[in-house]
Structures are given as C-alpha cells and as structure tokens.
PDB file of all heavy atoms in Angstrom:
ATOM      1  N   ASN A 192     -29.015 -25.515-172.180  1.00 96.00           N
ATOM      2  CA  ASN A 192     -28.005 -26.549-172.427  1.00 96.00           C
ATOM      3  C   ASN A 192     -27.774 -27.317-171.131  1.00 96.00           C
ATOM      4  O   ASN A 192     -26.904 -26.975-170.332  1.00 96.00           O
ATOM      5  CB  ASN A 192     -26.710 -25.899-172.918  1.00 96.00           C
ATOM      6  CG  ASN A 192     -25.635 -26.926-173.225  1.00 96.00           C
ATOM      7  OD1 ASN A 192     -25.928 -28.098-173.475  1.00 96.00           O
ATOM      8  ND2 ASN A 192     -24.386 -26.497-173.195  1.00 96.00           N
ATOM      9  N   LEU A 193     -28.545 -28.377-170.927  1.00 98.00           N
ATOM     10  CA  LEU A 193     -28.561 -29.077-169.651  1.00 98.00           C
ATOM     11  C   LEU A 193     -27.941 -30.468-169.755  1.00 98.00           C
ATOM     12  O   LEU A 193     -28.051 -31.134-170.786  1.00 98.00           O
ATOM     13  CB  LEU A 193     -30.003 -29.212-169.140  1.00 98.00           C
ATOM     14  CG  LEU A 193     -30.741 -27.901-168.856  1.00 98.00           C
ATOM     15  CD1 LEU A 193     -32.218 -28.181-168.581  1.00 98.00           C
ATOM     16  CD2 LEU A 193     -30.103 -27.152-167.691  1.00 98.00           C
ATOM     17  N   GLU A 194     -27.324 -30.880-168.665  1.00 98.00           N
ATOM     18  CA  GLU A 194     -26.799 -32.236-168.552  1.00 98.00           C
ATOM     19  C   GLU A 194     -27.801 -33.179-167.898  1.00 98.00           C
ATOM     20  O   GLU A 194     -27.801 -34.380-168.168  1.00 98.00           O
ATOM     21  CB  GLU A 194     -25.504 -32.228-167.723  1.00 98.00           C
ATOM     22  CG  GLU A 194     -24.319 -31.592-168.409  1.00 98.00           C
ATOM     23  CD  GLU A 194     -23.780 -32.431-169.562  1.00 98.00           C
ATOM     24  OE1 GLU A 194     -23.966 -33.672-169.529  1.00 98.00           O
ATOM     25  OE2 GLU A 194     -23.209 -31.851-170.491  1.00 98.00           O
ATOM     26  N   LEU A 195     -28.657 -32.621-167.040  1.00 98.00           N
ATOM     27  CA  LEU A 195     -29.538 -33.478-166.241  1.00 98.00           C
ATOM     28  C   LEU A 195     -30.733 -32.666-165.764  1.00 98.00           C
ATOM     29  O   LEU A 195     -30.580 -31.501-165.383  1.00 98.00           O
ATOM     30  CB  LEU A 195     -28.770 -34.018-165.033  1.00 98.00           C
ATOM     31  CG  LEU A 195     -29.477 -34.998-164.094  1.00 98.00           C
ATOM     32  CD1 LEU A 195     -29.717 -36.337-164.790  1.00 98.00           C
ATOM     33  CD2 LEU A 195     -28.654 -35.211-162.827  1.00 98.00           C
ATOM     34  N   ILE A 196     -31.909 -33.278-165.809  1.00 98.00           N
ATOM     35  CA  ILE A 196     -33.118 -32.677-165.239  1.00 98.00           C
ATOM     36  C   ILE A 196     -33.637 -33.591-164.139  1.00 98.00           C
ATOM     37  O   ILE A 196     -33.791 -34.803-164.339  1.00 98.00           O
ATOM     38  CB  ILE A 196     -34.212 -32.474-166.301  1.00 98.00           C
ATOM     39  CG1 ILE A 196     -33.814 -31.369-167.295  1.00 98.00           C
ATOM     40  CG2 ILE A 196     -35.550 -32.112-165.641  1.00 98.00           C
ATOM     41  CD1 ILE A 196     -34.820 -31.144-168.398  1.00 98.00           C
ATOM     42  N   ILE A 197     -33.909 -32.993-162.972  1.00 98.00           N
ATOM     43  CA  ILE A 197     -34.574 -33.714-161.895  1.00 98.00           C
ATOM     44  C   ILE A 197     -36.037 -33.327-161.936  1.00 98.00           C
ATOM     45  O   ILE A 197     -36.400 -32.160-161.748  1.00 98.00           O
ATOM     46  CB  ILE A 197     -33.958 -33.397-160.518  1.00 98.00           C
ATOM     47  CG1 ILE A 197     -32.511 -33.917-160.442  1.00 98.00           C
ATOM     48  CG2 ILE A 197     -34.778 -34.035-159.406  1.00 98.00           C
ATOM     49  CD1 ILE A 197     -31.490 -32.902-160.841  1.00 98.00           C
ATOM     50  N   GLU A 198     -36.902 -34.287-162.230  1.00 98.00           N
ATOM     51  CA  GLU A 198     -38.335 -34.033-162.269  1.00 98.00           C
ATOM     52  C   GLU A 198     -38.865 -33.798-160.858  1.00 98.00           C
ATOM     53  O   GLU A 198     -38.289 -34.264-159.872  1.00 98.00           O
ATOM     54  CB  GLU A 198     -39.072 -35.211-162.888  1.00 98.00           C
ATOM     55  CG  GLU A 198     -38.708 -35.497-164.328  1.00 98.00           C
ATOM     56  CD  GLU A 198     -39.504 -36.652-164.890  1.00 98.00           C
ATOM     57  OE1 GLU A 198     -39.248 -37.804-164.501  1.00 98.00           O
ATOM     58  OE2 GLU A 198     -40.397 -36.395-165.720  1.00 98.00           O
ATOM     59  N   GLY A 199     -40.003 -33.122-160.759  1.00 98.00           N
ATOM     60  CA  GLY A 199     -40.630 -32.922-159.461  1.00 98.00           C
ATOM     61  C   GLY A 199     -41.151 -34.201-158.855  1.00 98.00           C
ATOM     62  O   GLY A 199     -41.254 -34.335-157.625  1.00 98.00           O
ATOM     63  N   HIS A 200     -41.466 -35.172-159.693  1.00 98.00           N
ATOM     64  CA  HIS A 200     -41.893 -36.511-159.278  1.00 98.00           C
ATOM     65  C   HIS A 200     -41.280 -37.492-160.268  1.00 98.00           C
ATOM     66  O   HIS A 200     -41.345 -37.282-161.481  1.00 98.00           O
ATOM     67  CB  HIS A 200     -43.418 -36.651-159.308  1.00 98.00           C
ATOM     68  CG  HIS A 200     -44.146 -35.723-158.383  1.00 98.00           C
ATOM     69  ND1 HIS A 200     -44.651 -36.130-157.160  1.00 98.00           N
ATOM     70  CD2 HIS A 200     -44.452 -34.416-158.496  1.00 98.00           C
ATOM     71  CE1 HIS A 200     -45.238 -35.102-156.570  1.00 98.00           C
ATOM     72  NE2 HIS A 200     -45.127 -34.052-157.360  1.00 98.00           N
ATOM     73  N   GLY A 201     -40.702 -38.560-159.750  1.00 97.00           N
ATOM     74  CA  GLY A 201     -40.241 -39.604-160.649  1.00 97.00           C
ATOM     75  C   GLY A 201     -38.756 -39.603-160.910  1.00 97.00           C
ATOM     76  O   GLY A 201     -37.951 -39.237-160.051  1.00 97.00           O
ATOM     77  N   GLU A 202     -38.390 -39.978-162.122  1.00 93.00           N
ATOM     78  CA  GLU A 202     -37.012 -40.257-162.482  1.00 93.00           C
ATOM     79  C   GLU A 202     -36.268 -39.000-162.921  1.00 93.00           C
ATOM     80  O   GLU A 202     -36.871 -37.976-163.255  1.00 93.00           O
ATOM     81  CB  GLU A 202     -36.970 -41.287-163.626  1.00 93.00           C
ATOM     82  CG  GLU A 202     -37.691 -42.579-163.339  1.00 93.00           C
ATOM     83  CD  GLU A 202     -37.046 -43.398-162.241  1.00 93.00           C
ATOM     84  OE1 GLU A 202     -35.813 -43.267-162.062  1.00 93.00           O
ATOM     85  OE2 GLU A 202     -37.764 -44.160-161.563  1.00 93.00           O
ATOM     86  N   MET A 203     -34.946 -39.115-162.942  1.00 98.00           N
ATOM     87  CA  MET A 203     -34.122 -38.068-163.533  1.00 98.00           C
ATOM     88  C   MET A 203     -34.053 -38.262-165.043  1.00 98.00           C
ATOM     89  O   MET A 203     -34.183 -39.392-165.542  1.00 98.00           O
ATOM     90  CB  MET A 203     -32.713 -38.099-162.922  1.00 98.00           C
ATOM     91  CG  MET A 203     -32.688 -37.707-161.458  1.00 98.00           C
ATOM     92  SD  MET A 203     -31.040 -37.844-160.711  1.00 98.00           S
ATOM     93  CE  MET A 203     -30.972 -39.614-160.418  1.00 98.00           C
ATOM     94  N   ILE A 204     -33.842 -37.179-165.772  1.00 98.00           N
ATOM     95  CA  ILE A 204     -33.765 -37.232-167.229  1.00 98.00           C
ATOM     96  C   ILE A 204     -32.344 -36.870-167.638  1.00 98.00           C
ATOM     97  O   ILE A 204     -31.867 -35.763-167.363  1.00 98.00           O
ATOM     98  CB  ILE A 204     -34.776 -36.270-167.885  1.00 98.00           C
ATOM     99  CG1 ILE A 204     -36.192 -36.544-167.373  1.00 98.00           C
ATOM    100  CG2 ILE A 204     -34.723 -36.417-169.399  1.00 98.00           C
ATOM    101  CD1 ILE A 204     -37.214 -35.537-167.870  1.00 98.00           C
ATOM    102  N   LEU A 205     -31.669 -37.803-168.303  1.00 98.00           N
ATOM    103  CA  LEU A 205     -30.292 -37.603-168.716  1.00 98.00           C
ATOM    104  C   LEU A 205     -30.213 -36.784-169.999  1.00 98.00           C
ATOM    105  O   LEU A 205     -31.188 -36.659-170.748  1.00 98.00           O
ATOM    106  CB  LEU A 205     -29.611 -38.952-168.919  1.00 98.00           C
ATOM    107  CG  LEU A 205     -29.610 -39.897-167.697  1.00 98.00           C
ATOM    108  CD1 LEU A 205     -28.985 -41.235-168.053  1.00 98.00           C
ATOM    109  CD2 LEU A 205     -28.894 -39.255-166.531  1.00 98.00           C
ATOM    110  N   ARG A 206     -29.031 -36.238-170.236  1.00 97.00           N
ATOM    111  CA  ARG A 206     -28.837 -35.300-171.345  1.00 97.00           C
ATOM    112  C   ARG A 206     -29.400 -35.806-172.675  1.00 97.00           C
ATOM    113  O   ARG A 206     -30.100 -35.085-173.370  1.00 97.00           O
ATOM    114  CB  ARG A 206     -27.337 -34.998-171.492  1.00 97.00           C
ATOM    115  CG  ARG A 206     -27.032 -34.032-172.621  1.00 97.00           C
ATOM    116  CD  ARG A 206     -25.550 -33.732-172.711  1.00 97.00           C
ATOM    117  NE  ARG A 206     -25.278 -32.774-173.765  1.00 97.00           N
ATOM    118  CZ  ARG A 206     -24.079 -32.301-174.041  1.00 97.00           C
ATOM    119  NH1 ARG A 206     -23.031 -32.698-173.330  1.00 97.00           N
ATOM    120  NH2 ARG A 206     -23.902 -31.429-175.009  1.00 97.00           N
ATOM    121  N   GLY A 207     -29.103 -37.045-173.007  1.00 98.00           N
ATOM    122  CA  GLY A 207     -29.541 -37.561-174.294  1.00 98.00           C
ATOM    123  C   GLY A 207     -31.039 -37.775-174.407  1.00 98.00           C
ATOM    124  O   GLY A 207     -31.554 -37.979-175.515  1.00 98.00           O
ATOM    125  N   GLU A 208     -31.747 -37.714-173.280  1.00 98.00           N
ATOM    126  CA  GLU A 208     -33.190 -37.958-173.273  1.00 98.00           C
ATOM    127  C   GLU A 208     -34.002 -36.674-173.098  1.00 98.00           C
ATOM    128  O   GLU A 208     -35.230 -36.707-173.193  1.00 98.00           O
ATOM    129  CB  GLU A 208     -33.534 -38.920-172.122  1.00 98.00           C
ATOM    130  CG  GLU A 208     -32.775 -40.242-172.168  1.00 98.00           C
ATOM    131  CD  GLU A 208     -32.854 -41.012-170.866  1.00 98.00           C
ATOM    132  OE1 GLU A 208     -33.171 -40.384-169.828  1.00 98.00           O
ATOM    133  OE2 GLU A 208     -32.605 -42.229-170.892  1.00 98.00           O
ATOM    134  N   ILE A 209     -33.318 -35.557-172.823  1.00 98.00           N
ATOM    135  CA  ILE A 209     -34.023 -34.338-172.427  1.00 98.00           C
ATOM    136  C   ILE A 209     -34.925 -33.811-173.531  1.00 98.00           C
ATOM    137  O   ILE A 209     -36.116 -33.533-173.308  1.00 98.00           O
ATOM    138  CB  ILE A 209     -33.021 -33.261-171.970  1.00 98.00           C
ATOM    139  CG1 ILE A 209     -32.436 -33.641-170.609  1.00 98.00           C
ATOM    140  CG2 ILE A 209     -33.693 -31.886-171.892  1.00 98.00           C
ATOM    141  CD1 ILE A 209     -31.320 -32.723-170.125  1.00 98.00           C
ATOM    142  N   SER A 210     -34.401 -33.677-174.731  1.00 98.00           N
ATOM    143  CA  SER A 210     -35.188 -33.098-175.827  1.00 98.00           C
ATOM    144  C   SER A 210     -36.439 -33.919-176.098  1.00 98.00           C
ATOM    145  O   SER A 210     -37.549 -33.383-176.223  1.00 98.00           O
ATOM    146  CB  SER A 210     -34.340 -32.990-177.089  1.00 98.00           C
ATOM    147  OG  SER A 210     -35.091 -32.438-178.150  1.00 98.00           O
ATOM    148  N   GLU A 211     -36.276 -35.241-176.149  1.00 98.00           N
ATOM    149  CA  GLU A 211     -37.419 -36.111-176.432  1.00 98.00           C
ATOM    150  C   GLU A 211     -38.448 -36.056-175.306  1.00 98.00           C
ATOM    151  O   GLU A 211     -39.665 -36.022-175.559  1.00 98.00           O
ATOM    152  CB  GLU A 211     -36.939 -37.541-176.632  1.00 98.00           C
ATOM    153  CG  GLU A 211     -38.058 -38.520-176.966  1.00 98.00           C
ATOM    154  CD  GLU A 211     -37.550 -39.942-177.175  1.00 98.00           C
ATOM    155  OE1 GLU A 211     -36.326 -40.141-177.204  1.00 98.00           O
ATOM    156  OE2 GLU A 211     -38.402 -40.847-177.302  1.00 98.00           O
ATOM    157  N   ALA A 212     -37.975 -36.046-174.047  1.00 98.00           N
ATOM    158  CA  ALA A 212     -38.897 -36.031-172.910  1.00 98.00           C
ATOM    159  C   ALA A 212     -39.711 -34.740-172.874  1.00 98.00           C
ATOM    160  O   ALA A 212     -40.929 -34.767-172.634  1.00 98.00           O
ATOM    161  CB  ALA A 212     -38.118 -36.193-171.612  1.00 98.00           C
ATOM    162  N   LEU A 213     -39.068 -33.611-173.123  1.00 98.00           N
ATOM    163  CA  LEU A 213     -39.782 -32.335-173.104  1.00 98.00           C
ATOM    164  C   LEU A 213     -40.729 -32.227-174.294  1.00 98.00           C
ATOM    165  O   LEU A 213     -41.850 -31.720-174.154  1.00 98.00           O
ATOM    166  CB  LEU A 213     -38.793 -31.174-173.085  1.00 98.00           C
ATOM    167  CG  LEU A 213     -37.889 -31.105-171.839  1.00 98.00           C
ATOM    168  CD1 LEU A 213     -36.914 -29.939-171.959  1.00 98.00           C
ATOM    169  CD2 LEU A 213     -38.709 -30.977-170.568  1.00 98.00           C
ATOM    170  N   SER A 214     -40.293 -32.703-175.454  1.00 98.00           N
ATOM    171  CA  SER A 214     -41.184 -32.700-176.626  1.00 98.00           C
ATOM    172  C   SER A 214     -42.409 -33.569-176.375  1.00 98.00           C
ATOM    173  O   SER A 214     -43.533 -33.215-176.774  1.00 98.00           O
ATOM    174  CB  SER A 214     -40.433 -33.206-177.862  1.00 98.00           C
ATOM    175  OG  SER A 214     -39.417 -32.304-178.242  1.00 98.00           O
ATOM    176  N   SER A 215     -42.215 -34.696-175.698  1.00 98.00           N
ATOM    177  CA  SER A 215     -43.334 -35.578-175.374  1.00 98.00           C
ATOM    178  C   SER A 215     -44.343 -34.870-174.479  1.00 98.00           C
ATOM    179  O   SER A 215     -45.561 -35.005-174.671  1.00 98.00           O
ATOM    180  CB  SER A 215     -42.807 -36.843-174.695  1.00 98.00           C
ATOM    181  OG  SER A 215     -43.865 -37.652-174.225  1.00 98.00           O
ATOM    182  N   ASN A 216     -43.854 -34.111-173.500  1.00 98.00           N
ATOM    183  CA  ASN A 216     -44.769 -33.396-172.611  1.00 98.00           C
ATOM    184  C   ASN A 216     -45.519 -32.300-173.351  1.00 98.00           C
ATOM    185  O   ASN A 216     -46.709 -32.066-173.103  1.00 98.00           O
ATOM    186  CB  ASN A 216     -43.992 -32.810-171.432  1.00 98.00           C
ATOM    187  CG  ASN A 216     -43.705 -33.839-170.356  1.00 98.00           C
ATOM    188  OD1 ASN A 216     -43.928 -35.023-170.550  1.00 98.00           O
ATOM    189  ND2 ASN A 216     -43.203 -33.393-169.219  1.00 98.00           N
ATOM    190  N   ILE A 217     -44.834 -31.606-174.254  1.00 98.00           N
ATOM    191  CA  ILE A 217     -45.499 -30.572-175.051  1.00 98.00           C
ATOM    192  C   ILE A 217     -46.583 -31.195-175.926  1.00 98.00           C
ATOM    193  O   ILE A 217     -47.717 -30.690-176.002  1.00 98.00           O
ATOM    194  CB  ILE A 217     -44.465 -29.810-175.908  1.00 98.00           C
ATOM    195  CG1 ILE A 217     -43.563 -28.956-175.013  1.00 98.00           C
ATOM    196  CG2 ILE A 217     -45.160 -28.937-176.950  1.00 98.00           C
ATOM    197  CD1 ILE A 217     -42.348 -28.384-175.723  1.00 98.00           C
ATOM    198  N   LYS A 218     -46.266 -32.306-176.577  1.00 98.00           N
ATOM    199  CA  LYS A 218     -47.249 -32.979-177.435  1.00 98.00           C
ATOM    200  C   LYS A 218     -48.450 -33.463-176.616  1.00 98.00           C
ATOM    201  O   LYS A 218     -49.590 -33.402-177.084  1.00 98.00           O
ATOM    202  CB  LYS A 218     -46.586 -34.154-178.155  1.00 98.00           C
ATOM    203  CG  LYS A 218     -45.605 -33.729-179.241  1.00 98.00           C
ATOM    204  CD  LYS A 218     -44.914 -34.933-179.866  1.00 98.00           C
ATOM    205  CE  LYS A 218     -43.893 -34.502-180.911  1.00 98.00           C
ATOM    206  NZ  LYS A 218     -43.153 -35.670-181.462  1.00 98.00           N
ATOM    207  N   TYR A 219     -48.194 -33.946-175.413  1.00 98.00           N
ATOM    208  CA  TYR A 219     -49.292 -34.372-174.549  1.00 98.00           C
ATOM    209  C   TYR A 219     -50.214 -33.200-174.224  1.00 98.00           C
ATOM    210  O   TYR A 219     -51.454 -33.327-174.307  1.00 98.00           O
ATOM    211  CB  TYR A 219     -48.743 -34.981-173.260  1.00 98.00           C
ATOM    212  CG  TYR A 219     -49.805 -35.202-172.202  1.00 98.00           C
ATOM    213  CD1 TYR A 219     -50.640 -36.313-172.247  1.00 98.00           C
ATOM    214  CD2 TYR A 219     -49.997 -34.277-171.181  1.00 98.00           C
ATOM    215  CE1 TYR A 219     -51.636 -36.505-171.297  1.00 98.00           C
ATOM    216  CE2 TYR A 219     -50.986 -34.466-170.225  1.00 98.00           C
ATOM    217  CZ  TYR A 219     -51.805 -35.575-170.283  1.00 98.00           C
ATOM    218  OH  TYR A 219     -52.793 -35.745-169.335  1.00 98.00           O
ATOM    219  N   LEU A 220     -49.642 -32.069-173.856  1.00 98.00           N
ATOM    220  CA  LEU A 220     -50.457 -30.895-173.524  1.00 98.00           C
ATOM    221  C   LEU A 220     -51.265 -30.415-174.726  1.00 98.00           C
ATOM    222  O   LEU A 220     -52.428 -30.010-174.584  1.00 98.00           O
ATOM    223  CB  LEU A 220     -49.565 -29.780-172.996  1.00 98.00           C
ATOM    224  CG  LEU A 220     -48.941 -30.041-171.613  1.00 98.00           C
ATOM    225  CD1 LEU A 220     -47.828 -29.046-171.331  1.00 98.00           C
ATOM    226  CD2 LEU A 220     -50.006 -29.980-170.518  1.00 98.00           C
ATOM    227  N   GLU A 221     -50.670 -30.474-175.892  1.00 98.00           N
ATOM    228  CA  GLU A 221     -51.401 -30.105-177.108  1.00 98.00           C
ATOM    229  C   GLU A 221     -52.513 -31.111-177.383  1.00 98.00           C
ATOM    230  O   GLU A 221     -53.630 -30.735-177.777  1.00 98.00           O
ATOM    231  CB  GLU A 221     -50.434 -30.028-178.287  1.00 98.00           C
ATOM    232  CG  GLU A 221     -49.443 -28.879-178.187  1.00 98.00           C
ATOM    233  CD  GLU A 221     -48.361 -28.918-179.248  1.00 98.00           C
ATOM    234  OE1 GLU A 221     -48.107 -30.007-179.826  1.00 98.00           O
ATOM    235  OE2 GLU A 221     -47.743 -27.871-179.503  1.00 98.00           O
ATOM    236  N   ALA A 222     -52.230 -32.382-177.136  1.00 98.00           N
ATOM    237  CA  ALA A 222     -53.210 -33.443-177.416  1.00 98.00           C
ATOM    238  C   ALA A 222     -54.427 -33.336-176.508  1.00 98.00           C
ATOM    239  O   ALA A 222     -55.570 -33.467-176.968  1.00 98.00           O
ATOM    240  CB  ALA A 222     -52.553 -34.810-177.264  1.00 98.00           C
ATOM    241  N   ILE A 223     -54.208 -33.112-175.201  1.00 98.00           N
ATOM    242  CA  ILE A 223     -55.371 -33.075-174.306  1.00 98.00           C
ATOM    243  C   ILE A 223     -56.256 -31.865-174.618  1.00 98.00           C
ATOM    244  O   ILE A 223     -57.486 -31.960-174.533  1.00 98.00           O
ATOM    245  CB  ILE A 223     -54.982 -33.104-172.818  1.00 98.00           C
ATOM    246  CG1 ILE A 223     -54.080 -31.928-172.427  1.00 98.00           C
ATOM    247  CG2 ILE A 223     -54.344 -34.437-172.460  1.00 98.00           C
ATOM    248  CD1 ILE A 223     -53.803 -31.846-170.936  1.00 98.00           C
ATOM    249  N   GLN A 224     -55.655 -30.763-175.000  1.00 98.00           N
ATOM    250  CA  GLN A 224     -56.474 -29.607-175.370  1.00 98.00           C
ATOM    251  C   GLN A 224     -57.303 -29.909-176.620  1.00 98.00           C
ATOM    252  O   GLN A 224     -58.501 -29.601-176.675  1.00 98.00           O
ATOM    253  CB  GLN A 224     -55.577 -28.397-175.620  1.00 98.00           C
ATOM    254  CG  GLN A 224     -54.891 -27.863-174.376  1.00 98.00           C
ATOM    255  CD  GLN A 224     -53.935 -26.739-174.708  1.00 98.00           C
ATOM    256  OE1 GLN A 224     -54.309 -25.567-174.752  1.00 98.00           O
ATOM    257  NE2 GLN A 224     -52.681 -27.095-174.960  1.00 98.00           N
ATOM    258  N   ALA A 225     -56.679 -30.526-177.614  1.00 98.00           N
ATOM    259  CA  ALA A 225     -57.386 -30.842-178.857  1.00 98.00           C
ATOM    260  C   ALA A 225     -58.476 -31.882-178.618  1.00 98.00           C
ATOM    261  O   ALA A 225     -59.600 -31.748-179.148  1.00 98.00           O
ATOM    262  CB  ALA A 225     -56.392 -31.347-179.899  1.00 98.00           C
TER     263      ALA A 225
END
C-alpha cells in the first residue's frame, strides 16, 4: 500500500499510477519472453 515509488532511473510514480505502471512492466517482461 504505497503512496509513491521512486524508480532507480527516471520519474517518480504517484499513488494513482502505481498499479498501472507495475502491470505495464510485468506485461513487458512477459512479452519479451514470448
């Protein structure tokens, strides 16, 4: 249950964007493997 994520590179991710941003990264990892 997070309010803010600081990425290792780039922008910060605000609470309302966290779920979508993490889902996007998961989908990307699944896509490159496939």
Side-chain angles (χ1 to χ4, degrees):
N192 181 22
L193 298 171
E194 290 289 334
L195 183 69
I196 290 178
I197 294 92
E198 297 182 288
H200 298 259
E202 304 293 332
M203 293 176 281
I204 306 174
L205 303 176
R206 180 178 182 178
E208 304 165 341
I209 288 174
S210 180
E211 181 179 352
L213 297 178
S214 293
S215 173
N216 280 9
I217 291 169
K218 289 177 182 176
Y219 169 81
L220 291 166
E221 292 172 339
I223 59 174
Q224 292 175 88

